[in-house]
Amino acid sequence: MTDTTKALADFTTALAAATTEEAAFDALCALIKATVGAKLFTVMTSDTDAMVARRAYTDDAENYPTSGEKPIELNRWFDQVLIRQEAFVSNTLADIDTVFPDAELIGKLGCGSVVNLPLIIGGKVIATMNILHEEGYYTPERVTRIHDMLRLPATAACAVAMVLRA
């Protein structure tokens, strides 16, 4: 298992110094890549009252820009992540294709597994942290590490980003 002490200390320092929404999420992205790994990292805000999502952060602006809003689709991902507030984990591109219309692009980027972790404030999912890697990458051990070690830093980064955006 990776020693996470330095990665968490670097994250804490970077988050405390963040003066923009992007800087807060840059700190989180670096933490994710140092602790569990990701080929693609995004954060999507979700407004289930208006049924829209907005990409608040991306580490691949060319393929996944942070512009505009998109409608939230009612599917099994919606029920699992936004209603039951559970992480969505998929380790095959074929499964990803059943819930995400951009599965072809995901595959072209060398990704075939995903973890979408709901970030919850005040009992409501306010965003999802989305990490993608090669097919089969998010093993049960990595998923446990995401849940146990990274949920709080991700929620903190999201809260700081919300304050800085306002």
Side-chain angles (χ1 to χ4, degrees):
M1 184 181 276
T2 306
D3 178 17
T4 58
T5 305
K6 181 176 179 347
L8 284 166
D10 291 347
F11 165 76
T12 301
T13 300
L15 187 62
T19 58
T20 65
E21 177 180 24
E22 184 175 14
F25 288 132
D26 280 344
L28 180 60
C29 182
L31 176 64
I32 296 303
K33 289 184 176 188
T35 56
V36 292
K39 285 187 172 190
L40 175 65
F41 177 83
T42 69
V43 176
M44 295 285 296
T45 61
S46 57
D47 180 346
T48 53
D49 294 333
M51 291 301 289
V52 295
R54 176 183 74 88
R55 189 171 294 107
Y57 179 83
T58 182
D59 71 347
D60 183 352
E62 183 178 326
N63 290 296
Y64 286 97
T66 57
S67 58
E69 294 179 340
K70 67 179 188 176
I72 294 173
E73 295 186 28
L74 298 176
N75 58 24
R76 70 183 171 95
W77 183 95
F78 171 86
D79 290 336
Q80 184 171 337
V81 177
L82 299 180
I83 300 300
R84 294 193 318 264
Q85 301 180 347
E86 301 168 352
F88 176 82
V89 180
S90 176
N91 273 298
T92 67
L93 193 57
D95 189 47
I96 290 170
D97 189 40
T98 66
V99 292
F100 297 128
D102 59 341
E104 185 176 340
L105 175 58
I106 290 169
K108 285 180 182 177
L109 296 175
C111 298
S113 59
V114 63
V115 176
N116 303 121
L117 184 70
L119 303 178
I120 303 160
I121 296 177
K124 189 172 186 173
V125 176
I126 49 98
T128 59
M129 175 178 75
N130 313 300
I131 54 177
L132 295 92
H133 214 297
E134 65 200 28
E135 197 158 293
Y137 185 81
Y138 292 111
T139 62
E141 179 184 297
R142 286 186 177 114
V143 172
T144 296
R145 192 176 315 150
I146 292 165
H147 279 276
D148 294 351
M149 187 188 73
L150 299 172
R151 181 182 300 271
L152 183 57
T155 303
C158 195
V160 168
M162 289 169 59
V163 168
L164 293 171
R165 185 174 6 139

